[in-house]
Amino acid sequence: MVKIDGKTMTCGLLGNPVEHTMSPAIHNTLAELQGHSLVYVPFLVDHGKLGQAVAGARALHIKGLNVTVPYKTEVMQYVKELDPLAQQIGAVNTLVETEEGYKGYNTDMPGLYRAMVSEGIRIEEEKVIVLGAGGAARAVCFLLAFHKAKQVYLLNRTVDKAQKIAEEVNGFLGKELVVSMALQDYDRLPDEKMLAIQATSVGLAPHDDEVVIDEPAFYEKVHTGYDLIYRPLETKFMKCVKAAGGAAYHGLKMLLYQGIIAYELWNHVFVSEEQAEVVYEAMKEAMGI
Ligand code: ATR
């Protein structure tokens, strides 16, 4: 347990609700491992009070904040500066105290990238399938663009939404990276095995047995499946990938690394893979798994 004294720094989470967060387990374990006198606490922010919450945090010299549902977009208007990736994605989940005010970052996508790297999954020069066209899928497409994927096949129930994201990302890059398709058109995908990222909300507990595409023929095109969902730890999507002989991963390490990257930004430190393992165990214990 961190010794609290006059020099202890405070970090925290702004959201509504906040009671199920794993972030205190992540950051308080990191503070202990790094020997920092830092405590991390959840702050429940009432609707309509986000601006006041950020101003209050600044007045109190809260060193760093995470921002969660429903404030990741709204908080962008209360920061002094925005990291370019966060600006592009249109969502901020981390605030870092600077002399002028808070600087807003998105560590969700770099977190996903670092989680994939830690599992040995490559994006660079790869063809990647993305399922979904909501905020999460859009952010994933920008991440894939930043990390130079070769081609992205964006499949969604509502093709118009996939089309819009494709136009945005392709316009940003100045080349045709993202190809939009309807879910049922998966048979038009190239006849080869690819990485597939599941970025819809389908399969989230308690709807554990739901999946966007359940035809085995689709999974013949997947060598690795990455589901952003981590409740349950094995989704139907993951089961389908495994049934077709592929490797499958849940999104819990993405949650771990978004926290680790935020902690690194707040404290100007590097968290090793060994320390990340310890934090991962603490997180799982807090989740009761
Ligand atoms: P987020 O911001 O977390 O990505 P979202 O914007 O609500 O959430 O997006 C949810 C995604 O899940 C969308 O791609 C949605 O498909 P539509 O764009 O067609 O709505 C997808 N989704 C949700 N329920 C679905 C279902 N039953 N079948 C297929 N796709 C579904």
Side-chain angles (χ1 to χ4, degrees), residues 131-138 155-159 161-162 183 198-202 210-212:
L131 300 177
R138 183 177 172 280
L155 279 62
N156 196 44
R157 176 177 62 180
T158 315
V159 193
K161 281 166 72 181
L183 289 174
Q198 203 300 111
T200 77
S201 47
V202 181
E210 293 178 9
V211 63
V212 260

Side-chain angles (χ1 to χ4, degrees), residues 1-10 28 36-41:
M1 196 52 190
V2 169
K3 184 173 161 285
I4 298 175
D5 60 21
K7 291 185 189 141
T8 302
M9 294 170 299
T10 309
N28 291 315
H36 291 150
S37 184
L38 181 156
V39 291
Y40 183 100
V41 285

Side-chain angles (χ1 to χ4, degrees), residues 76 84-91 106 109-110 135 138-140 142-143:
M76 294 173 78
L85 180 68
Q87 179 146 38
Q88 200 58 54
I89 291 170
N106 182 299
M109 285 305 113
R138 183 177 172 280
V140 168
F142 275 108
L143 181 78

